Amino acid sequence: MTSISTERLDLLLLTEEFLEATAAGRKTGLGEVVIPEDWWEERAIAELRAADMRKDESYRPWSIRAMVERKTGVMVGFCGFHTPPDPPYLEERNGGVELAYTVFAPFRQRGFATEAARGMMDWARQEHGVRQFVVSIGVANLASMLVAGKLGFVRVGQHVDPVDGLELVYLCRMSFAY
């Protein structure tokens, strides 16, 4: 499946080719989607996710997706999973998967992150039986902490990310989620 639909969003799976073009600094189209300049600044994440796809074919459906507001056709952000379910680094969260979401500044405080995260979690649960989700949030990112809280995530720890620094780790088990 290349698209997940929510009430207002289409979560479009980005191709390896699109991600590689972004990583190389080449602006390319995404069908009829209006791509804001904010996306073209995401070269590092595009490069990382394209490499993940090349390394592991099973990662493709879990990879990064454009959050496209259906009404306007504008990419308002992106979301996805870091890996397929049950990566070794999640240890005791067997069967779990780590979710991430970013909404570009002009589109924040409209509920897009919550809606996209909920759509991704529903897809993973319904299509793949995933019941545990993890998010890692920078200590200064209050907006993401609020999104996590709305979705039923609870803080279970912290770690230091080599790129992003100290992050708080939150877990959601579908038995008590939203």
Side-chain angles (χ1 to χ4, degrees):
M1 172 182 283
T2 58
S3 181
I4 296 169
S5 293
T6 67
E7 182 180 339
R8 300 174 296 160
L9 300 171
D10 288 320
L11 307 176
L12 304 178
L13 191 60
L14 298 176
T15 65
E16 186 178 333
E17 295 76 23
F18 180 81
L19 294 172
E20 287 172 345
T22 299
R26 293 190 316 272
K27 294 182 180 181
T28 185
L30 190 59
E32 300 293 316
V33 175
V34 177
I35 305 170
E37 286 301 312
D38 301 60
W39 168 253
W40 305 113
E41 297 171 12
E42 299 292 342
R43 292 173 67 173
I45 191 71
E47 183 175 3
L48 176 66
R49 295 305 172 223
D52 289 341
M53 284 186 191
R54 284 190 301 275
K55 184 171 45 178
D56 180 2
E57 181 71 27
S58 72
Y59 175 64
R60 288 182 191 281
W62 300 92
S63 187
I64 193 169
R65 294 172 182 267
M67 290 182 205
V68 180
E69 184 182 31
R70 197 174 302 111
K71 183 172 80 173
T72 63
V74 174
M75 180 182 184
V76 299
F78 56 94
C79 58
F81 297 102
H82 291 296
T83 66
D86 205 18
Y89 79 91
L90 287 182
E91 299 167 355
E92 73 277 0
R93 294 164 188 87
N94 292 340
V97 65
E98 187 169 5
L99 172 67
Y101 43 84
T102 297
V103 175
F104 301 135
F107 308 103
R108 292 182 182 151
Q109 297 187 344
R110 299 186 201 177
F112 291 133
T114 303
E115 184 175 331
R118 184 173 285 135
M120 295 294 290
M121 293 167 68
D122 286 346
W123 171 82
R125 181 180 48 81
Q126 292 167 3
E127 299 294 324
H128 301 280
V130 174
R131 296 277 186 249
Q132 295 190 90
F133 299 88
V134 172
V135 292
S136 298
I137 302 171
V139 294
N141 192 342
L142 180 59
S144 276
M145 290 178 209
L146 292 171
V147 168
K150 288 178 193 174
L151 294 170
F153 282 84
V154 294
R155 185 172 166 200
V156 295
Q158 64 185 36
H159 71 256
V160 177
D161 182 274
V163 175
D164 299 323
L166 182 62
E167 294 181 327
L168 305 178
V169 179
Y170 293 80
L171 175 68
C172 177
R173 290 188 173 92
M174 290 306 284
S175 60
F176 63 84
Y178 56 90

